mmCIF file with all atom_site columns, all heavy atoms in Angstrom:
data_model
loop_
_atom_site.group_PDB
_atom_site.id
_atom_site.type_symbol
_atom_site.label_atom_id
_atom_site.label_alt_id
_atom_site.label_comp_id
_atom_site.label_asym_id
_atom_site.label_entity_id
_atom_site.label_seq_id
_atom_site.pdbx_PDB_ins_code
_atom_site.Cartn_x
_atom_site.Cartn_y
_atom_site.Cartn_z
_atom_site.occupancy
_atom_site.B_iso_or_equiv
_atom_site.pdbx_formal_charge
_atom_site.auth_seq_id
_atom_site.auth_comp_id
_atom_site.auth_asym_id
_atom_site.auth_atom_id
_atom_site.pdbx_PDB_model_num
ATOM 1  N N   . PHE A 1 62  ? -2.465  40.842 4.888  1.00 86.00 ? 62  PHE A N   1
ATOM 2  C CA  . PHE A 1 62  ? -3.059  41.391 6.104  1.00 86.00 ? 62  PHE A CA  1
ATOM 3  C C   . PHE A 1 62  ? -4.499  41.802 5.866  1.00 86.00 ? 62  PHE A C   1
ATOM 4  O O   . PHE A 1 62  ? -4.804  42.563 4.976  1.00 86.00 ? 62  PHE A O   1
ATOM 5  C CB  . PHE A 1 62  ? -2.268  42.602 6.620  1.00 86.00 ? 62  PHE A CB  1
ATOM 6  C CG  . PHE A 1 62  ? -1.174  42.222 7.557  1.00 86.00 ? 62  PHE A CG  1
ATOM 7  C CD1 . PHE A 1 62  ? 0.134   42.199 7.132  1.00 86.00 ? 62  PHE A CD1 1
ATOM 8  C CD2 . PHE A 1 62  ? -1.462  41.853 8.865  1.00 86.00 ? 62  PHE A CD2 1
ATOM 9  C CE1 . PHE A 1 62  ? 1.151   41.832 7.988  1.00 86.00 ? 62  PHE A CE1 1
ATOM 10 C CE2 . PHE A 1 62  ? -0.446  41.482 9.727  1.00 86.00 ? 62  PHE A CE2 1
ATOM 11 C CZ  . PHE A 1 62  ? 0.864   41.471 9.292  1.00 86.00 ? 62  PHE A CZ  1
ATOM 12 N N   . GLU A 1 64  ? -8.209  42.826 8.245  1.00 91.00 ? 64  GLU A N   1
ATOM 13 C CA  . GLU A 1 64  ? -8.579  43.435 9.533  1.00 91.00 ? 64  GLU A CA  1
ATOM 14 C C   . GLU A 1 64  ? -8.456  42.403 10.651 1.00 91.00 ? 64  GLU A C   1
ATOM 15 O O   . GLU A 1 64  ? -7.980  42.717 11.745 1.00 91.00 ? 64  GLU A O   1
ATOM 16 C CB  . GLU A 1 64  ? -10.005 43.984 9.465  1.00 91.00 ? 64  GLU A CB  1
ATOM 17 C CG  . GLU A 1 64  ? -10.421 44.708 10.720 1.00 91.00 ? 64  GLU A CG  1
ATOM 18 C CD  . GLU A 1 64  ? -11.800 45.322 10.615 1.00 91.00 ? 64  GLU A CD  1
ATOM 19 O OE1 . GLU A 1 64  ? -12.354 45.407 9.507  1.00 91.00 ? 64  GLU A OE1 1
ATOM 20 O OE2 . GLU A 1 64  ? -12.347 45.719 11.667 1.00 91.00 ? 64  GLU A OE2 1
ATOM 21 N N   . ASN A 1 102 ? -3.410  49.293 1.845  1.00 83.00 ? 102 ASN A N   1
ATOM 22 C CA  . ASN A 1 102 ? -4.185  48.359 2.654  1.00 83.00 ? 102 ASN A CA  1
ATOM 23 C C   . ASN A 1 102 ? -4.952  49.165 3.694  1.00 83.00 ? 102 ASN A C   1
ATOM 24 O O   . ASN A 1 102 ? -4.368  49.712 4.611  1.00 83.00 ? 102 ASN A O   1
ATOM 25 C CB  . ASN A 1 102 ? -3.237  47.356 3.320  1.00 83.00 ? 102 ASN A CB  1
ATOM 26 C CG  . ASN A 1 102 ? -3.959  46.337 4.155  1.00 83.00 ? 102 ASN A CG  1
ATOM 27 O OD1 . ASN A 1 102 ? -4.943  46.624 4.815  1.00 83.00 ? 102 ASN A OD1 1
ATOM 28 N ND2 . ASN A 1 102 ? -3.456  45.119 4.160  1.00 83.00 ? 102 ASN A ND2 1
ATOM 29 N N   . ARG A 1 103 ? -6.249  49.244 3.550  1.00 86.00 ? 103 ARG A N   1
ATOM 30 C CA  . ARG A 1 103 ? -7.071  50.053 4.463  1.00 86.00 ? 103 ARG A CA  1
ATOM 31 C C   . ARG A 1 103 ? -7.500  49.291 5.722  1.00 86.00 ? 103 ARG A C   1
ATOM 32 O O   . ARG A 1 103 ? -8.137  49.852 6.593  1.00 86.00 ? 103 ARG A O   1
ATOM 33 C CB  . ARG A 1 103 ? -8.292  50.584 3.734  1.00 86.00 ? 103 ARG A CB  1
ATOM 34 C CG  . ARG A 1 103 ? -7.924  51.518 2.606  1.00 86.00 ? 103 ARG A CG  1
ATOM 35 C CD  . ARG A 1 103 ? -9.099  52.389 2.231  1.00 86.00 ? 103 ARG A CD  1
ATOM 36 N NE  . ARG A 1 103 ? -8.744  53.314 1.194  1.00 86.00 ? 103 ARG A NE  1
ATOM 37 C CZ  . ARG A 1 103 ? -8.259  54.535 1.415  1.00 86.00 ? 103 ARG A CZ  1
ATOM 38 N NH1 . ARG A 1 103 ? -8.073  54.948 2.632  1.00 86.00 ? 103 ARG A NH1 1
ATOM 39 N NH2 . ARG A 1 103 ? -7.972  55.333 0.409  1.00 86.00 ? 103 ARG A NH2 1
ATOM 40 N N   . PHE A 1 104 ? -7.126  48.038 5.825  1.00 92.00 ? 104 PHE A N   1
ATOM 41 C CA  . PHE A 1 104 ? -7.568  47.239 6.972  1.00 92.00 ? 104 PHE A CA  1
ATOM 42 C C   . PHE A 1 104 ? -6.943  47.686 8.285  1.00 92.00 ? 104 PHE A C   1
ATOM 43 O O   . PHE A 1 104 ? -7.554  47.539 9.336  1.00 92.00 ? 104 PHE A O   1
ATOM 44 C CB  . PHE A 1 104 ? -7.289  45.753 6.744  1.00 92.00 ? 104 PHE A CB  1
ATOM 45 C CG  . PHE A 1 104 ? -8.093  45.167 5.620  1.00 92.00 ? 104 PHE A CG  1
ATOM 46 C CD1 . PHE A 1 104 ? -7.471  44.617 4.514  1.00 92.00 ? 104 PHE A CD1 1
ATOM 47 C CD2 . PHE A 1 104 ? -9.482  45.173 5.664  1.00 92.00 ? 104 PHE A CD2 1
ATOM 48 C CE1 . PHE A 1 104 ? -8.212  44.082 3.478  1.00 92.00 ? 104 PHE A CE1 1
ATOM 49 C CE2 . PHE A 1 104 ? -10.231 44.640 4.634  1.00 92.00 ? 104 PHE A CE2 1
ATOM 50 C CZ  . PHE A 1 104 ? -9.596  44.095 3.545  1.00 92.00 ? 104 PHE A CZ  1
ATOM 51 N N   . PHE A 1 105 ? -5.740  48.228 8.249  1.00 92.00 ? 105 PHE A N   1
ATOM 52 C CA  . PHE A 1 105 ? -5.110  48.711 9.476  1.00 92.00 ? 105 PHE A CA  1
ATOM 53 C C   . PHE A 1 105 ? -5.973  49.797 10.116 1.00 92.00 ? 105 PHE A C   1
ATOM 54 O O   . PHE A 1 105 ? -6.155  49.832 11.329 1.00 92.00 ? 105 PHE A O   1
ATOM 55 C CB  . PHE A 1 105 ? -3.704  49.241 9.169  1.00 92.00 ? 105 PHE A CB  1
ATOM 56 C CG  . PHE A 1 105 ? -2.962  49.745 10.380 1.00 92.00 ? 105 PHE A CG  1
ATOM 57 C CD1 . PHE A 1 105 ? -2.577  48.876 11.385 1.00 92.00 ? 105 PHE A CD1 1
ATOM 58 C CD2 . PHE A 1 105 ? -2.647  51.092 10.509 1.00 92.00 ? 105 PHE A CD2 1
ATOM 59 C CE1 . PHE A 1 105 ? -1.885  49.334 12.508 1.00 92.00 ? 105 PHE A CE1 1
ATOM 60 C CE2 . PHE A 1 105 ? -1.957  51.564 11.620 1.00 92.00 ? 105 PHE A CE2 1
ATOM 61 C CZ  . PHE A 1 105 ? -1.578  50.685 12.617 1.00 92.00 ? 105 PHE A CZ  1
ATOM 62 N N   . GLU A 1 106 ? -6.536  50.670 9.292  1.00 91.00 ? 106 GLU A N   1
ATOM 63 C CA  . GLU A 1 106 ? -7.332  51.794 9.792  1.00 91.00 ? 106 GLU A CA  1
ATOM 64 C C   . GLU A 1 106 ? -8.643  51.378 10.452 1.00 91.00 ? 106 GLU A C   1
ATOM 65 O O   . GLU A 1 106 ? -9.183  52.123 11.258 1.00 91.00 ? 106 GLU A O   1
ATOM 66 C CB  . GLU A 1 106 ? -7.631  52.757 8.654  1.00 91.00 ? 106 GLU A CB  1
ATOM 67 C CG  . GLU A 1 106 ? -6.387  53.439 8.172  1.00 91.00 ? 106 GLU A CG  1
ATOM 68 C CD  . GLU A 1 106 ? -6.639  54.308 6.965  1.00 91.00 ? 106 GLU A CD  1
ATOM 69 O OE1 . GLU A 1 106 ? -7.807  54.590 6.642  1.00 91.00 ? 106 GLU A OE1 1
ATOM 70 O OE2 . GLU A 1 106 ? -5.655  54.705 6.348  1.00 91.00 ? 106 GLU A OE2 1
ATOM 71 N N   . THR A 1 107 ? -9.138  50.220 10.108 1.00 93.00 ? 107 THR A N   1
ATOM 72 C CA  . THR A 1 107 ? -10.403 49.766 10.694 1.00 93.00 ? 107 THR A CA  1
ATOM 73 C C   . THR A 1 107 ? -10.180 48.743 11.812 1.00 93.00 ? 107 THR A C   1
ATOM 74 O O   . THR A 1 107 ? -11.132 48.246 12.391 1.00 93.00 ? 107 THR A O   1
ATOM 75 C CB  . THR A 1 107 ? -11.312 49.144 9.605  1.00 93.00 ? 107 THR A CB  1
ATOM 76 O OG1 . THR A 1 107 ? -10.622 48.063 8.973  1.00 93.00 ? 107 THR A OG1 1
ATOM 77 C CG2 . THR A 1 107 ? -11.710 50.184 8.577  1.00 93.00 ? 107 THR A CG2 1
ATOM 78 N N   . SER A 1 108 ? -8.913  48.462 12.083 1.00 95.00 ? 108 SER A N   1
ATOM 79 C CA  . SER A 1 108 ? -8.603  47.439 13.085 1.00 95.00 ? 108 SER A CA  1
ATOM 80 C C   . SER A 1 108 ? -8.535  48.027 14.490 1.00 95.00 ? 108 SER A C   1
ATOM 81 O O   . SER A 1 108 ? -8.423  49.245 14.678 1.00 95.00 ? 108 SER A O   1
ATOM 82 C CB  . SER A 1 108 ? -7.261  46.773 12.752 1.00 95.00 ? 108 SER A CB  1
ATOM 83 O OG  . SER A 1 108 ? -6.194  47.669 13.002 1.00 95.00 ? 108 SER A OG  1
#
Side-chain angles (χ1 to χ4, degrees):
F62 271 103
E64 184 177 347
N102 181 323
R103 297 200 178 270
F104 294 119
F105 181 66
E106 292 175 13
T107 57
S108 72

